[in-house]
Each structure stands twice: as structure tokens, then as C-alpha cells.
């Protein structure tokens, strides 16, 4: 069996930046605003925050603890901890689901990261100046319909991800995140202030922060739970892998709360950077997945210094995406490293190249193979469905059940080192609330997918 190595993060700060970097990504800046927009604003945001703290944060604690206790890849850690607890080694399947899920997410995440990269350049080149809504559609569709261009951007994004992961935990991940995360924060604050001066800020604040409960339907709730999982990087290996590099003296409870708070703050700030412009320029808040790529450029095209602001905005999105994609590549790399003794350079190259190749199916889902569907889903839809709707909720539920019901309470307590009263709150949430909450959502999603219209 591979040896457990000692902690790798050089400081608590580096660990927090890395984990916040994993959590903050396309999910916060691309997905969250459009889902909040479609879900009626404040009601979605409120229920989202409840899920983040009641279900997501306890799960982060669980994943970090198991990862740290195992000290291996998610597969190795799950197996090791299960055996130590006198349980079946098959619990390692949770680890497999995470490593494979992260790999699949990476394959399409990189394609969307590639769009972002393309949009940084488009903005700098002045492609948005005076663009009309139709023009913005044409620009976006021209990108999506061109498989070669998409593949080149996808390859560039993946190469950046591999370049960082190759350099190791301290030399690569940690250097990248401690540089990029503060930069992201500064950019975001700048964009919010900018939106505050130029846009309809008050309207945006009301829309995002004052809940209109008539908008709160069951579907909005489900969407919010799915989004909270994705945004907090739950159950797909990233957090468990980062936990394996964590030293014993760091309190996972405090860390998880910090990570969740930062993740939610960034999502809301992204909304506060985007919606003032959406309102000020009379754009559609329910613009959906195209909100960032089709709607926002219209605002950039009209405003003073729009090319610069646009490039900064997409640059911000790019930074957020990269610090997440490295956490999606790392689980697979740590598995190849720990279990098969493959050197990190080689492991990153293999895993990254394979994810790149799989990503080509996502590239083609927008053009050549857009008509090729199974159960009405393109390859991209299938990958998204498989990870978001199956592996993530199931993985999360089993992680919660494992730590809540199959590990000795005393061992869990020792690993968490929490104050007694907080431990009790957490233990209740992870044993009862998380598994039941996820089960409800899971069944609802499957039902919606296959039985309802
Ligand atoms: N949380 C990231 C985002 O919001 C994406 C991500 C990284 C992720 N690692 C993950 C999602 C693991 C689910 C599981 O964009």
C-alpha cells in the first residue's frame, strides 16, 4: 500500500485559497447569476444560502476529514478509512465516483473555460463595440458552430490547467491560487464598484437580496440545491483530495465555514457586478446560460471603456475557472500518483490529455453532433446530467452516510476537533438532514427527467 505523505499545503492561507479557488468558478460567475435570474432573484438566493450552510457546509467538513484521515487519493482514502473502521473496502466506490466524475466535469468545464478565453480576446479586439442583441447572438453562435476554433480554445485552457498541476501541490497549485485568488477578489470588487456607479445598482440589490416568496417553487428549490453542490465542489473528489494535503492542526469546521462564506460571497458579488448592467441596459434577467456570453457584451459594447471592462470581466471568469479546473484534474492525478506510482508530470499529461479528448465530444455537441441525442440529450447534456444529477447527489449522500453512520463517532469527533455543541449540530445535519435532503432532490430530478414532461 502506498505510504501516507505528510501535509503538503505550506500554510492555512494556502489551503483556504486553494479550496476557495476550487469552489469559486464558472459555477459562481456564469451559472449562479443566470440561475438566480431565472429563479426570480432573491427567493432563489435565500434558499441557495440555506442549502449552502445546512447541507453543503457539513458535507465539506465530511470530505475534508475523510481526505485528511486517509491522506491518499479519494479512492485510496475512502478505502483506507473504511478498512480502518472495520468496514467493507467497497466504500472506495465513492472515491471512484469522485475521481471519474471530476474527470468528466473537467472535460466539459475546459470547453466552457475555452469560451471564456476566447471572450477575453474578443473583448480586447473590440468585438463588442456597439454590438446589437442580434450581433451578440451571431458572435456567440459563430464561436459555438466552429469545432476547430472551439477545440483550439479548449486545448489552450486544458494546457494551462495541466501546466499548473504538473508543478505539484506547492510549486503549482499553491503558487497559482495564492496569486490568482486575491487578483480575482480585487477584480470582482472593482467590477461591483463599477456596476455601482454606472448601472442600476439599487434595482439589482432589490432583485437579488429581497426575496419574493411567490417565486419560490419546488423546482427553484431543486435548482438551488444542485447549484449549491456544484458551486461548493461537493462529492467529486476535489475537496477530499485537497483535504489529503491538510495538516492535523487545522480545524476543518472553521475552514469549511470560511470556504462556504467566501464561495457564496463571490456568487452574490458576481450578481451585483452583472445585474446592474443588465437592468441599466434593459437586458433580459432571465437570459439563461447565454446571460454572460450573449447578454453582457451588449452592455460592454455601449459603455465607456467597455473593451477594458469586458476583458477584465472575462479575465476574472477565466481566473475563477482555472483555479477550479486544477481541482478537477488533481483527483485523477493523485490517484495515478498514489496508487500506480506514476510521476506527477506524466500523470498530469495522461489525465489532462484524456480529459481533453473526451471534451471533444462536448465541443461537437454544439455543432457537428448537435443532432445526435440520446433521451433528448447531446453528449454535453449527458455529461452534465451524469455528474450533476447522478454522481454528485449520490456521492454526497454516501459520503454523508459513511461518516455519519459507518464511522465510529469517537473517531469522527477526534478528526473534527470541534467544540462539543457544534459537533452535535454538525452530526445531526450530516446524519439526517443531508442524506434526506439529497434523496428528495435526487428522486425529484430523476422523476422530472424521465416521467414528467
Ligand atoms: N465549484 C466549481 C465551480 O463553481 C466547479 C468544481 C470544481 C466542481 N471542482 C468540483 C464542481 C467538484 C463539482 C465537484 O465552478
Amino acid at each position: 500500500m502506498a505510504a501516507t505523505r505528510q501535509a503538503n499545503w505550506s500554510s492555512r492561507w494556502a489551503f483556504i485559497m486553494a479550496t476557495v479557488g476550487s469552489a469559486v468558478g464558472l459555477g459562481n460567475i456564469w451559472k449562479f447569476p443566470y440561475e438566480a435570474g431565472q429563479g426570480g432573484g432573491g427567493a432563489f438566493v435565500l434558499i441557495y444560502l440555506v442549502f449552502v450552510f445546512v447541507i453543503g457546509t457539513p458535507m465539506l467538513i465530511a470530505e475534508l476529514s475523510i481526505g485528511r484521515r486517509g491522506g491518499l487519493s479519494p479512492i485510496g482514502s475512502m478505502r483506507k478509512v473504511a478498512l480502518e473502521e472495520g468496514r467493507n473496502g467497497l466504500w472506495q466506490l465513492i472515491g471512484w465516483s469522485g475521481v471519474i466524475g471530476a474527470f468528466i466535469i473537467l472535460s466539459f468545464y475546459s470547453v466552457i473555460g475555452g469560451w471564456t478565453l476566447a471572450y477575453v480576446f474578443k473583448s480586447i479586439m473590440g468585438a463588442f463595440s456597439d454590438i446589437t442583441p442580434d450581433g451578440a447572438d451571431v458572435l456567440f453562435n459563430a464561436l459555438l458552430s466552429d469545432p476547430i476554433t472551439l477545440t483550439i480554445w479548449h486545448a489552450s485552457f486544458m494546457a494551462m490547467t495541466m501546466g499548473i498541476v504538473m508543478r505539484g501541490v506547492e510549486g503549482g497549485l499553491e503558487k497559482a491560487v495564492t496569486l490568482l485568488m486575491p487578483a480575482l477578489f480585487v477584480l470582482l470588487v472593482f467590477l461591483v464598484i463599477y456596476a455601482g456607479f454606472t448601472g442600476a445598482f439599487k434595482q439589482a440589490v432589490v432583485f437579488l437580496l429581497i426575496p419574493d416568496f411567490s417565486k419560490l417553487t419546488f423546482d427553484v428549490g431543486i435548482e438551488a440545491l444542485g447549484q449549491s453542490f456544484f458551486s461548493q465542489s461537493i462529492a467529486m473528489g476535489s475537496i477530499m483530495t485537497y483535504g489529503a494535503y491538510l495538516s492535523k492542526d487545522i480545524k476543518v469546521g472553521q475552514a469549511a465555514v470560511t470556504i462556504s462564506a467566501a464561495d457564496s460571497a463571490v456568487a452574490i458579488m458576481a450578481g451585483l457586478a452583472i445585474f446592474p448592467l443588465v437592468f441599466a441596459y434593459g437586458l433580459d434577467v432571465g437570459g439563461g446560460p447565454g446571460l454572460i456570453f450573449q447578454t453582457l457584451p451588449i452592455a460592454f459594447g455601449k459603455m465607456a471603456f467597455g473593451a477594458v471592462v469586458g476583458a477584465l470581466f472575462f479575465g476574472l471568469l477565466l481566473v475563477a475557472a482555472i483555479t477550479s479546473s486544477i481541482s478537477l484534474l488533481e483527483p485523477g492525478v493523485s490517484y495515478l500518483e498514489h496508487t500506480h506510482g506514476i510521476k506527477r508530470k506524466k500523470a498530469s499529461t495522461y489525465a489532462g490529455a484524456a480529459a481533453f479528448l473526451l471534451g471533444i465530444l462536448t465541443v461537437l455537441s454544439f455543432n457537428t453532433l448537435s443532432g445526435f441525442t440520446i433521451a433528448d440529450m447531446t453528449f454535453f447534456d449527458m455529461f452534465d446530467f451524469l455528474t450533476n444529477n447522478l454522481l454528485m447527489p449520490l456521492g454526497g449522500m454516501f459520503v454523508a452516510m459513511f461518516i455519519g453512520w459507518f464511522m465510529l463517532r469517537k473517531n469522527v469527533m477526534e478528526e473534527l476537533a470541534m467544540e462539543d455543541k457544534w459537533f452535535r449540530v454538525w452530526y445531526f445535519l450530516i446524519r439526517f438532514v443531508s442524506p434526506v435532503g439529497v434523496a428528495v432532490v435526487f428522486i425529484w430530478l430523476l422523476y422530472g427527467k424521465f416521467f414528467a414532461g
Side-chain angles (χ1 to χ4, degrees), residues 17-103:
M17 285 301 104
T19 326
V20 172
S22 169
V24 169
L26 295 167
N28 302 59
I29 300 168
W30 169 57
K31 258 187 157 178
F32 178 85
Y34 84 69
E35 293 204 332
Q38 286 179 327
F44 175 91
V45 175
L46 180 74
I47 185 96
Y48 173 84
L49 289 176
V50 170
F51 288 146
V52 163
F53 288 100
V54 171
I55 298 185
T57 309
M59 282 197 187
L60 287 184
I61 295 176
E63 281 196 59
L64 288 173
S65 310
I66 296 172
R68 177 166 70 182
R69 212 170 172 79
L72 298 165
S73 73
I75 296 170
S77 292
M78 274 309 306
R79 179 166 183 278
K80 180 164 172 244
V81 176
L83 293 178
E84 276 172 8
E85 297 285 326
R87 302 294 176 181
N88 197 308
L90 278 178
W91 280 101
Q92 69 175 295
L93 286 174
I94 298 179
W96 281 101
S97 154
V99 169
I100 293 170
F103 177 78

Side-chain angles (χ1 to χ4, degrees), residues 22-23 25-28 109 230-231 233-234 236 238 324 327-328 392:
S22 169
L26 295 167
N28 302 59
Y109 205 84
F230 187 82
S231 190
S233 299
I234 283 172
M236 297 283 94
S238 296
S324 295
S327 80
L328 288 164
M392 247 153 63

